[in-house]
Amino acid sequence: MDNKKMMHIGIKKGEVGKYVFLPGSPERTEKIAKYFDNAKEIAFNREYRTFIGTLDGELVAVTSTGIGGPSAAIAIEELSAIGVDTMIRIGTCASMSPKVKKGDIVVPSGAVKMEGTSSHYLPVEFPAVPNFEILKILTNSLDSQKIKYHTDVSITKDSFYSQTNPERSPVSNTLIRKWDEYIRGGATTTSMECSILFAVGAALGIRTASMLVSATNAKSFEGQEPGDSYDLEDYVIRAGIEGMRQIIKSDKNSKF
């Protein structure tokens, strides 16, 4: 195992440390890695692209997971197998509530499991929640940066278009009813990886959390336009980088 590259992510034990960012898009790995010291790309296989570097002298990495649950679970499993124990998803989400505006930061306190991947790891009754210690450090970091954020429940879905255009599905009535029930219960955003990250992380005994930026206003599904003057991805990446610095600092302090 020590000298063998993992089948999908293409890296082996010793090439990364214990801290990893998990964006979806391979292109986003570059945007995150530019904030590392001594950043370099070490692998790119399928949807899995990895850069390493350092933050405050600590080895960190960023690995893309692609879109959705199955590919994210593979990345999480293989990274855990080579020694990673702290994974932070950095990415975008869509607002399902007027409470969350386009450009707002979201640190989900839990996720609705509207997907099938997590059922391969934990019973359906087991909640999909981030590691509380990491959640607290990330929100404290945002407070110190004076950044507004939300910590509500998010919805993790398996299908993008059955949400944006549910009427095309034969089970549209069921889909629309479920979305309404989730929102009435207090869920405010949606994405495609959070519950998988939280559930697989719990099953493997590692620390996970997510920091997202809303790319839309409530139920608009329009996202950021190419000509928008403010880079929403960079906004959440910079906030996440600072959050990871605080996690590293907290871990170092806890050793003394």
Side-chain angles (χ1 to χ4, degrees):
M1 172 68 77
D2 286 357
N3 296 315
K4 184 177 179 181
K5 289 187 176 181
M6 301 305 294
M7 180 185 300
H8 300 90
I9 60 175
I11 53 181
K12 60 187 178 182
K13 193 168 187 178
E15 291 188 298
V16 297
K18 54 185 288 190
Y19 305 100
V20 174
F21 292 99
L22 297 177
S25 165
E27 292 79 13
R28 200 174 290 155
T29 58
E30 288 186 86
K31 298 184 75 170
I32 294 173
K34 78 176 185 179
Y35 290 101
F36 296 171
D37 295 323
N38 307 308
K40 68 175 181 177
E41 184 175 354
I42 62 169
F44 195 169
N45 181 50
R46 300 189 181 189
E47 60 264 59
Y48 306 107
R49 188 181 189 187
T50 299
F51 284 79
I52 60 170
T54 60
L55 288 176
D56 299 334
E58 188 73 32
L59 182 62
V60 295
V62 52
T63 298
S64 55
T65 65
I67 298 174
S71 62
I74 287 171
I76 297 162
E77 286 244 32
E78 293 191 0
L79 286 165
S80 174
I82 58 173
V84 179
D85 69 12
T86 304
M87 304 185 195
I88 308 299
R89 170 164 164 71
I90 297 289
T92 59
C93 61
S95 173
M96 301 302 297
S97 166
K99 173 179 175 180
V100 178
K101 308 295 184 186
K102 181 177 178 179
D104 284 359
I105 297 289
V106 178
V107 185
S109 57
V112 174
K113 296 185 286 187
M114 195 184 189
E115 41 76 23
T117 305
S118 62
S119 66
H120 290 254
Y121 292 87
L122 294 168
V124 65
E125 300 88 355
F126 198 98
V129 294
N131 175 271
F132 181 75
E133 174 192 12
I134 300 302
L135 175 72
K136 189 175 177 72
I137 294 172
L138 292 180
T139 55
N140 285 343
S141 174
L142 291 169
D143 285 335
S144 69
Q145 296 174 74
K146 298 185 173 11
I147 294 175
K148 176 185 175 183
Y149 61 91
H150 306 272
T151 55
D152 305 303
V153 170
S154 187
I155 304 161
T156 302
K157 57 185 182 280
D158 258 346
S159 170
F160 183 85
Y161 288 107
S162 66
Q163 177 200 354
T164 59
N165 301 104
E167 65 281 352
R168 298 190 301 199
S169 170
V171 294
S172 59
N173 289 339
T174 300
L175 290 170
I176 292 168
R177 174 181 58 79
K178 282 189 173 184
W179 281 103
D180 181 61
E181 290 170 351
Y182 299 151
I183 293 165
R184 289 173 64 190
T188 61
T189 60
T190 178
S191 66
M192 297 185 71
E193 295 84 17
C194 285
S195 66
I196 292 90
L197 174 62
F198 302 159
V200 179
L204 298 178
I206 59 175
R207 306 184 301 180
T208 66
S210 291
M211 185 182 290
L212 312 173
V213 64
S214 180
T216 73
N217 288 311
K219 304 183 187 180
S220 70
F221 308 123
E222 292 173 357
Q224 185 168 4
E225 298 300 323
D228 284 359
S229 60
Y230 192 73
D231 189 335
L232 298 181
E233 287 185 4
D234 187 65
Y235 177 52
V236 72
I237 287 168
R238 286 187 284 111
I241 289 287
E242 181 56 31
M244 187 68 88
R245 290 185 190 277
Q246 295 307 313
I247 292 168
I248 292 168
K249 181 179 179 181
S250 176
D251 286 349
K252 288 179 177 177
N253 289 339
S254 69
K255 294 176 182 178
F256 297 100

